[in-house]
């Protein structure tokens, strides 16, 4: 996901009031041109994307064309994760959907509209274990492949005199630990598969929307007003990466030493030196990019204006 978050919060109460989570999605002829919020690769040339009004779309040609499939909700869908043909989607009203056939048929496995806590990120640890995190400290876990979910309480994740932040992204790291980032400069690490957490110091108090880890093990976090920070020691110390933009940054994609960050105002940042420096490109229409995947030197994006294949910024050799 991810945060076009002011839009998400603004539409949350509308979706709740209309009871859209309980209605089947409507097949729309231009669903691939409407607001898309997350995208995931599910196999060679295979992708699934999600967005507003319960839109779920599948592509079998690396994003050149998309087909919408019907799902049992019209809630805005914000996040998606895949593992060996199994796909979990989350969204507003605490909705979680499950597919076991690559995204063609979907089952509603969770719907909690009274909580008013949208799911904002989902991650698999293995075929059976997955987490879903979201607004106001939402923290869910499944150990049966996504059929049943348990909401866990972790008081160590509460910020003193603030409360539980919105959790924006959870990332499994190379050493087997987990990193969680969120609102108000929140960063926490777990070394026991999410059973307990330790918060990490960060010289920044704004929201962090995305996290990635490079081939060398470096951590990159990004968030509001173009802020990017990098750590070489698993989050104990951070260095600010200076870039001349002030747009919110929503998503990080890593391929070896290459790092691509996308965000509001159509911003695309690219690094080929392990996240130390970035070149900047901006979409001509300045439409926000919520999420992206890298495919053969192309960028598949879920954006404010739908699903697109974009060119990467050129880099100095």
């Amino acid at each position: 996901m991810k945060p076009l978050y002011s839009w998400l919060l603004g539409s949350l109460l509308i979706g709740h009031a209309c009871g859209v989570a309980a209605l089947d999605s409507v097949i729309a002829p231009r669903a691939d041109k409407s607001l898309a919020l997350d995208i995931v690769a599910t196999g060679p040339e295979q992708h699934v994307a999600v967005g507003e009004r319960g839109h779920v779309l599948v592509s079998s040609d690396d994003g050149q064309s998309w087909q919408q499939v019907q799902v049992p909700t019209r809630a805005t869908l914000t996040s998606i994760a895949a593992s060996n043909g199994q796909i979990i989607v989350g969204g507003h009203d605490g909705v979680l959907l499950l597919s076991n056939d690559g995204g063609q048929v979907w089952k509603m496995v969770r719907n909690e509209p009274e909580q008013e806590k949208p799911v904002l990120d989902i991650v698999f640890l293995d075929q059976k274990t997955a987490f879903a995190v979201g607004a106001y400290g939402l923290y869910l876990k499944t150990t049966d492949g996504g059929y049943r979910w348990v909401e866990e309480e972790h008081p160590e994740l509460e910020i003193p005199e603030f409360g539980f932040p919105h959790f924006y992204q959870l990332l499994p790291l190379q050493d087997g630990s987990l990193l969680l980032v969120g609102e108000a400069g929140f960063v926490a690490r777990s070394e026991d598969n999410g059973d307990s957490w330790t918060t990490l110091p960060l010289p920044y108090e704004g929201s962090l929307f995305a996290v990635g880890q490079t081939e060398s093990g470096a951590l990159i976090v990004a968030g509001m007003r173009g802020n990017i920070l990098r750590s070489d020691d698993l989050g104990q110390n951070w260095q600010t990466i200076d870039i001349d933009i002030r747009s919110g940054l929503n998503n990080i994609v890593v391929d070896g030493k290459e790092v691509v960050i996308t965000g509001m105002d159509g911003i695309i940042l690219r690094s080929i030196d392990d996240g130390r420096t970035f070149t900047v490109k901006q979409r001509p229409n300045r439409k926000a990019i919520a999420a992206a995947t890298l495919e053969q030197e192309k960028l598949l994006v879920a954006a404010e204006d739908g699903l697109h294949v974009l060119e990467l910024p050129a880099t100095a050799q």
Side-chain angles (χ1 to χ4, degrees):
M1 171 139 157
K2 310 280 178 171
L4 303 167
Y5 199 67
S6 59
W7 186 92
L8 288 176
L9 281 181
S11 62
L12 175 60
L13 294 179
I14 296 173
H16 175 58
C18 297
V20 295
L23 301 174
D24 287 351
S25 62
V26 174
I27 300 299
R30 290 179 56 82
D32 63 330
K33 302 303 180 187
S34 63
L35 176 69
L37 291 168
D38 206 2
I39 183 172
V40 69
T42 57
E45 300 186 353
Q46 308 287 319
H47 294 79
V48 181
V50 299
E52 65 178 338
R53 296 192 291 271
H55 288 171
V56 175
L57 300 101
V58 298
S59 173
S60 58
D61 55 10
D62 268 342
Q64 298 299 318
S65 62
W66 294 89
Q67 295 77 45
Q68 186 186 358
V69 296
Q70 192 170 62
V71 300
T73 185
R74 292 183 196 174
T76 293
L77 300 175
T78 59
S79 50
I80 183 169
S83 177
N84 295 323
Q86 198 163 342
I87 308 172
I88 300 172
V89 165
H92 283 188
D93 289 335
V95 161
L96 288 166
L97 307 177
L98 176 65
S99 172
N100 291 311
D101 64 356
Q104 296 299 319
V105 178
W106 295 86
K107 177 182 180 178
M108 175 91 74
V109 293
R110 186 179 189 271
N111 178 24
E112 298 288 346
E114 68 284 351
Q115 286 190 343
E116 298 186 0
K117 293 182 179 181
V119 174
L120 299 177
D121 194 35
I122 303 167
V123 63
F124 279 97
L125 295 191
D126 53 47
Q127 196 68 15
K128 294 292 186 181
T129 308
F131 291 94
V133 297
Y136 308 106
L138 182 67
Y139 187 107
L140 305 168
K141 182 178 181 180
T142 180
T143 56
D144 64 0
Y147 289 94
R148 291 180 295 274
W149 293 82
V150 175
E151 185 167 1
E152 296 187 354
E153 294 185 3
H154 287 274
E156 71 272 23
L157 296 178
E158 187 173 9
I159 300 174
E161 300 181 3
F162 182 90
F164 286 100
H166 304 320
F167 299 142
Y168 288 122
Q169 188 174 358
L170 177 62
L171 179 70
L173 302 183
Q174 295 166 5
D175 68 349
S177 64
L178 301 172
L179 200 75
L180 179 63
V181 301
E183 189 181 17
F186 176 87
V187 182
R189 183 166 172 245
S190 172
E191 298 184 78
D192 54 11
N193 290 328
D195 289 339
S196 64
W197 293 86
T198 301
T199 56
L200 302 178
L202 192 78
Y204 173 66
E205 295 182 352
S207 291
L208 298 170
F209 299 138
V211 57
Q213 186 174 34
T214 70
E215 184 178 61
S216 73
L219 298 178
I220 312 290
V221 297
M224 295 177 64
R225 295 184 291 275
N227 279 281
I228 303 173
L229 297 98
R230 184 180 184 277
S231 173
D232 284 313
D233 56 8
L234 293 177
Q236 295 303 311
N237 297 279
W238 297 89
Q239 301 82 44
T240 299
I241 304 299
D242 292 324
I243 54 171
D244 189 24
I245 65 165
R246 293 296 177 265
S247 302
L249 301 174
N250 299 323
N251 187 77
I252 298 175
V253 184
V254 177
D255 183 9
K257 291 186 177 181
E258 183 166 3
V259 181
V260 177
I261 303 177
T262 56
M264 307 303 288
D265 304 312
I267 290 294
I268 304 171
L269 308 176
R270 186 185 188 188
S271 170
I272 57 172
D273 61 1
D274 214 45
R276 291 180 173 86
T277 62
F278 288 85
T279 55
V280 182
K281 180 179 180 178
Q282 188 170 37
R283 299 181 70 193
N285 64 8
R286 300 196 173 193
K287 296 295 186 181
I289 300 172
T293 67
L294 267 174
E295 303 295 337
Q296 299 178 353
E297 290 297 305
K298 301 286 186 180
L299 198 63
L300 275 64
V301 302
E304 181 182 355
D305 58 341
L307 299 161
H308 301 276
V309 180
L310 304 179
E311 298 289 336
L312 287 168
T315 59
Q317 299 298 319

